Amino acid sequence: MNPVIQYFKNIKDAVVTTGVGFGVTFRHLFTRSITLQYPTEKWDLPERSRMRLHMDWEDCIGCFKCARACPVDCIYITTTKVPKDFDLGETANGTPKRLLVEQFDIDMSECMYCALCVSPCPEECLYMTREYEFSVYDREELIYDFVTMPEGLTEEAYVAIQEEKRAKAEAARKKKEARAEKESKQTDTKGE
Amino acid sequence: MRDLRTEEMTLNMGPQHPSTHGVLRLKLRTDGEVVTSIEPILGYLHRCFEKHAENLEYPGVVPFVDRCDYLASMNNDHGYAMAVEQLLGIEVPERVEYIRVIFAELQRIASHLVAFGTFGLDVGAFTPFLYAFREREKILDLFEMTCGARLLYNYIWVGGLSHDIPPGFVEKAYEFLEYFEPKIKEYNDLLTNNKIFIERTADVGVLPADVAINYGVTGPQLRASGVDWDLRRDEPYSIYDRFDWNVVTGVEDMGVLGDCWNRYYVKILEMQESARIIRQALDRLPVDGDVQAAVPRKIRPPEGALYFRSENPRGELGYYIVSDGGTKPFRVKMRSPALSNLGVIDEIGAGWLVADVVAILGSLDIVLGEIDR
Amino acid sequence: MQGLTHFFQHIGISSAFWSFFIATIIYGVFVFTFLALFALVAVYLERKVSGHMQDRLGPMRVGWHGLLQTVADTLKLLAKEDIIPRNADRLLFVLAPVVLFLGTYMVFAALPFGPGIIGSDLNVGLFYIIAVSSLVVIGIIMAGYSSNNKWSLYGGMRSAAQIISYEIPVGLSLIIGVMMSSSLHIGQMVQAQATGLWGLGGIFGWNFIQNPFAFIALFVYVVAGTAEANRTPFDLPEAESELVAGAFTEYSGMRWAFFFLAEYANMWVVGVLGAVVFLGGWNSPIPGDVYVPGFVWLFAKAFGIVFLQIWARWTFPRLRVDQLMVTSWKYLTPIAFFNLVGVGFWLLLI
């Protein structure tokens, strides 16, 4: 294009687009602001919001499905057997509980809020709530312990269970050692 | 008289910089104001995604895949899910396909909003960035309503979706489209047609089509150079072949093909096209179908390897998955579009002023999460 | 300030020199206070206006709707550590903000605040203002050089080049006002805009309506004035999302606050000059109105131009340095010359 004409076109373009741009921002001066002044005002989160995890201990049957599904291994579960006569009760769905879940810790600082643990749970006792304001000063406090010991399980009975467990583990270890020694003796004799 | 020569200086646009869109380090060699070479140094956001994937079961990889290109999570999920589904040889119900397309295109709009907002910010226009984020909030509200999360969704699972769309979603989605389409005119007024913006971006950082193809540039950056290539149309996956939409390529209105203005303009037009696709998908959404019907209990693909590519907002996102027959993949390699796009910056950035390098980098639309994985 | 001098003489300080001296000090303090208050208000206004233009609220917490935000910011700046780079040229580093601020402060000696409220009622008031405001360039170069930082130096040079280039369209546009009122005296210039087309007075007396060239000159003036004050779209030398913060990178705390203060003072000067030369000064737009005091109108018009500058900042992207120069030399300066010639012919023939 002829440079002279281009020159005047540039001026015209500049003036016109400047005016249009001004118009846009000026109009916005009068629109309602969309800021939410947290913390005095808070959003109503939708039902399915994936914020902090929560678990109903009474409904847990100790199947480990959630711990296995978790990609970052932030759920720590230990279960133990109870004496035969002790009745642990049923979950909300009517499934009888056979194992005592004595440790159910979730490390919220490791959790990545992916909700992969929610779907495998057969009793639907693990779910994500709408709670997002749970900052703490000490990281240890973010390890949430969801266990509430059942009533009726006395201190002695619990200690007795632990003792039994330990004794079993000890016996198993001894057996393993004995077998290993026997095998090495055999290989020694074979080698000769 | 001996030639006067100025000294070449090395300038570091360090990992922490307002304009590098993440932790990217650029080593610029400059001669006065003019940049003679650019060397990107990566790795500041490397999080060992591919190593993690070897230790997780197939469904567990999905949240990690989200976190690679965090601005286009749905598209990442979509690509991975389709790749594993092809490995398994399963088909998903119609309803799932439609919903996946709706979410992928909504995510494309959201990603392009961030892209052009931050591009405007790089060249000094502060306001369009905030307007873009206002629109993005509405999209994120739609996502939050459906799957509970706003940025990293873990929504598109292998074989289906994690949740069905909630009641009221379709109305809200239509509302959003009604609200969004007129806003594009506002962006055009503020940026696209603004003389100052055109001065800053037209004819700057021209990427010729053959150079783009040689470097493996894909996505809107490639289409802005005039190459008519879009995986959704040319290698259709999912149900994209059932919709009526156009592939947007660069125009010569304000500059030349392949300049920063075109790379920006293609994104604006692509948002319009995505809105069209979403509208058509919403119109034809099948009313029933279980979204979890095809989700397998245990994912154990047969031995083999597969490369599957899909169209991310940034380009061709590829997954190369090697399965050894177990429940955990042997190898998951992600072909990141932003990495290939970034590779071209020395070619097109050299010879421009420092201020232009900022504009060129912004127009390439990189996300470090994807580049470094 | 004449009034102040007489006042002191009246209350008993018979020596003319001493009463003048005290009056000067009081007026100087008044101007400085005004500048500080104006910066407070202008920064708050900027943050609120930019917030609402971007559909958000701006400061809301400090004080009712954030009114005390700038006070809090000033207190913070005062409490900051004073860092001077080790290899910096100490003397120049310390003096640079002073010189910069001085350039703007000295303008206020002849800048009116209302009818009769003026420091020194010079016959060549406008000429003095245009001349003295060029002192800021030295301040910027001193700041850029003394920081011992090559990018500060580049930024300082670019900023200085920008200001010098844009002084020409500013000066030429202001001369149009001089031509139309045949005087460099500020008071007379405002007086000359009291009556106008068809003897109507009010807004019809204002210079920018009198002839089309003056109308264009108003826009040229505002654009060039925005560039003088280093505001977007002309703020590449000090841009936030650029590589370095330009000439003022190494300044922190109160020293940096001085630069900031000088920028807002510059904006005000641009506003007042525009009001006086083109928009009728302290004359009211309604013909024959005597109820509203003059300084209210002057302030309103000056604030209008300041608002325009704030508005422009949040609407447009910024120009690259070479495009900045092109705009000044290839577009604004020729248009300003064209206006000058046009006004000359108009006044001669009409």
Side-chain angles (χ1 to χ4, degrees), chain B residues 127-355:
Chain B
T127 319
F129 170 72
L130 285 149
Y131 293 164
F133 267 68
R134 180 195 54 195
E135 266 64 276
R136 197 173 134 86
E137 279 301 306
K138 301 223 162 22
I139 299 184
L140 296 185
D141 280 344
L142 282 172
F143 287 158
E144 195 178 14
M145 188 172 148
T146 312
C147 65
R150 286 165 54 89
L151 202 69
L152 304 164
Y153 313 109
N154 188 23
Y155 181 63
I156 301 186
W157 283 0
V158 176
L161 305 166
S162 73
H163 298 84
D164 200 345
I165 54 177
F169 178 86
V170 177
E171 288 80 40
K172 278 197 109 173
Y174 274 120
E175 251 177 59
F176 167 72
L177 289 175
E178 293 294 322
Y179 165 81
F180 179 67
E181 273 154 3
K183 295 292 176 186
I184 304 219
K185 178 172 179 319
E186 215 174 69
Y187 306 139
N188 284 341
D189 283 339
L190 267 183
L191 278 182
T192 320
N193 296 325
N194 187 300
K195 187 82 180 117
I196 303 178
F197 184 74
I198 296 173
E199 288 285 312
R200 272 310 283 278
T201 55
D203 298 321
V204 168
V206 179
L207 177 64
D210 51 342
V211 172
I213 298 179
N214 283 339
Y215 272 85
V217 174
T218 50
Q221 285 73 244
L222 179 67
R223 294 196 276 280
S225 296
V227 179
D228 190 11
W229 174 257
D230 187 330
L231 281 175
R232 291 172 291 169
R233 181 201 59 192
D234 296 320
E235 264 184 35
Y237 51 89
S238 189
I239 50 169
Y240 276 104
D241 44 358
R242 297 192 209 174
F243 299 114
D244 170 33
W245 54 286
N246 303 321
V247 171
V248 180
T249 51
V251 295
E252 303 215 300
D253 288 352
M254 301 274 187
V256 294
L257 278 182
D259 59 7
C260 289
W261 190 86
N262 263 312
R263 288 195 278 275
Y264 154 85
Y265 192 54
V266 163
K267 297 192 173 83
I268 300 273
L269 293 180
E270 270 197 10
M271 288 199 293
Q272 281 182 315
E273 295 298 323
S274 287
R276 273 176 75 184
I277 298 180
I278 298 174
R279 201 179 275 278
Q280 289 169 42
L282 282 171
D283 287 339
R284 297 190 233 161
L285 188 61
V287 283
D288 41 35
D290 182 10
V291 295
Q292 301 248 327
V295 177
R297 293 225 95 200
K298 206 97 179 115
I299 298 183
R300 200 188 288 265
E303 260 184 66
L306 175 77
Y307 179 74
F308 181 82
R309 50 186 186 169
S310 62
E311 182 84 11
N312 212 20
R314 275 157 199 87
E316 171 187 318
L317 176 68
Y319 286 96
Y320 179 64
I321 306 186
V322 178
S323 157
D324 58 355
T327 52
K328 302 188 183 178
F330 180 72
R331 174 92 168 95
V332 173
K333 160 148 174 68
M334 177 194 268
R335 186 256 182 211
S336 142
L339 180 59
S340 311
N341 293 352
L342 183 61
V344 85
I345 193 158
D346 189 35
E347 191 77 22
I348 60 176
W352 292 97
L353 301 181
V354 171

Side-chain angles (χ1 to χ4, degrees), chain B residues 9 11 13 17 19 33 121-127 130-131 134 190 194 196-197 199-200 354 356, chain C residues 53-56 150-151 154 158 233 236 240-243 313-320 322-323:
Chain B
M9 198 165 57
L11 183 70
M13 240 166 111
H17 185 87
S19 299
E33 275 268 335
L121 208 58
D122 286 342
V123 295
F126 302 99
T127 319
L130 285 149
Y131 293 164
R134 180 195 54 195
L190 267 183
N194 187 300
I196 303 178
F197 184 74
E199 288 285 312
R200 272 310 283 278
V354 171
D356 292 322
Chain C
M53 279 185 182
Q54 295 164 351
D55 283 346
R56 57 187 180 88
K150 57 187 154 211
W151 291 95
Y154 277 10
R158 290 199 296 210
L236 199 80
E240 289 145 2
S241 62
E242 282 304 311
L243 232 37
R313 176 173 186 189
W314 301 102
T315 312
F316 303 116
R318 64 174 71 90
L319 287 171
R320 218 171 50 203
D322 57 323
Q323 292 162 347

Side-chain angles (χ1 to χ4, degrees), chain A residues 17 28 34 48 50 112 114, chain B residues 146 148 153-154 164 186 193:
Chain A
T17 56
H28 271 275
I34 54 174
R48 300 186 187 179
R50 289 201 319 235
M112 63 160 154
C114 64
Chain B
T146 312
Y153 313 109
N154 188 23
D164 200 345
E186 215 174 69
N193 296 325

Side-chain angles (χ1 to χ4, degrees), chain C residues 36-37 39-45 47-48 57-77:
Chain C
L37 286 174
L40 233 61
V41 169
V43 170
Y44 175 73
L45 197 68
R47 291 173 75 156
K48 273 302 202 184
L57 288 170
M60 288 291 280
R61 294 215 175 273
V62 188
W64 185 81
H65 274 70
L67 277 170
L68 295 177
Q69 178 72 48
T70 334
V71 175
D73 285 337
T74 317
L75 288 175
K76 176 205 81 165
L77 282 171

Side-chain angles (χ1 to χ4, degrees), chain A residues 39-131:
Chain A
T40 38
E41 309 168 18
K42 297 186 203 200
W43 284 119
D44 280 326
L45 292 178
E47 252 182 78
R48 300 186 187 179
S49 281
R50 289 201 319 235
M51 306 293 163
R52 192 177 63 183
L53 273 171
H54 184 76
M55 178 250 183
D56 292 324
W57 183 87
E58 294 81 27
D59 296 338
C60 176
I61 59 171
C63 66
F64 279 81
K65 285 213 177 104
C66 55
R68 262 178 266 155
C70 177
V72 287
D73 296 328
C74 70
I75 306 184
Y76 305 99
I77 309 181
T78 0
T79 54
T80 177
K81 283 210 182 60
V82 284
K84 279 202 208 3
D85 49 353
F86 189 83
D87 178 23
L88 284 167
E90 289 185 348
T91 66
N93 289 343
T95 326
K97 293 198 279 192
R98 291 185 216 286
L99 290 170
L100 173 68
V101 179
E102 62 171 355
Q103 179 202 20
F104 194 105
D105 289 341
I106 302 184
D107 190 350
M108 294 299 175
S109 59
E110 284 212 17
C111 173
M112 63 160 154
Y113 306 94
C114 64
L116 279 175
C117 55
V118 174
S119 14
C121 179
E123 303 301 316
E124 287 169 7
C125 71
L126 184 60
Y127 50 88
M128 306 206 89
T129 58
R130 287 184 244 187
E131 178 61 44

Side-chain angles (χ1 to χ4, degrees), chain C residues 12-217:
Chain C
I13 305 173
S14 52
S15 155
F17 170 74
W18 281 111
S19 56
F20 178 75
F21 187 71
I22 298 178
T24 316
I25 296 196
I26 293 187
Y27 191 74
V29 170
F30 161 68
V31 167
F32 190 77
T33 320
F34 172 78
L35 280 181
L37 286 174
F38 173 71
L40 233 61
V41 169
V43 170
Y44 175 73
L45 197 68
E46 167 144 35
R47 291 173 75 156
K48 273 302 202 184
V49 163
S50 76
H52 282 280
M53 279 185 182
Q54 295 164 351
D55 283 346
R56 57 187 180 88
L57 288 170
M60 288 291 280
R61 294 215 175 273
V62 188
W64 185 81
H65 274 70
L67 277 170
L68 295 177
Q69 178 72 48
T70 334
V71 175
D73 285 337
T74 317
L75 288 175
K76 176 205 81 165
L77 282 171
L78 280 170
K80 269 196 160 178
E81 178 187 351
D82 180 27
I83 305 177
I84 301 183
R86 183 186 304 216
N87 290 334
D89 191 325
R90 260 197 115 81
L91 183 65
L92 290 181
F93 192 85
V94 168
L95 278 183
V98 176
V99 171
L100 186 75
F101 186 67
L102 213 61
T104 319
Y105 189 62
M106 276 163 67
V107 169
F108 280 84
L111 203 71
F113 283 99
I117 313 171
I118 191 168
S120 168
D121 208 5
L122 291 172
N123 266 339
V124 290
L126 196 66
F127 177 66
Y128 168 79
I129 291 176
I130 301 179
V132 159
S133 63
S134 311
L135 208 58
V136 299
V137 178
I138 303 182
I140 294 183
I141 296 186
M142 279 166 72
Y145 169 77
S146 65
S147 300
N148 195 41
N149 175 349
K150 57 187 154 211
W151 291 95
S152 284
L153 187 60
Y154 277 10
M157 290 298 174
R158 290 199 296 210
S159 202
Q162 178 187 327
I163 295 189
I164 296 178
S165 314
Y166 279 91
E167 297 232 336
I168 297 177
V170 166
L172 289 174
S173 305
L174 291 178
I175 288 184
I176 290 181
V178 173
M179 283 165 71
M180 290 172 72
S181 53
S182 322
S183 159
L184 283 167
H185 186 216
I186 302 239
Q188 280 180 10
M189 224 185 300
V190 174
Q191 192 98 25
Q193 298 179 61
T195 61
L197 297 172
W198 315 300
L200 276 172
I203 192 173
F204 298 102
W206 296 359
N207 271 345
F208 82 109
I209 295 200
Q210 299 283 14
N211 71 62
F213 298 102
F215 188 73
I216 305 176

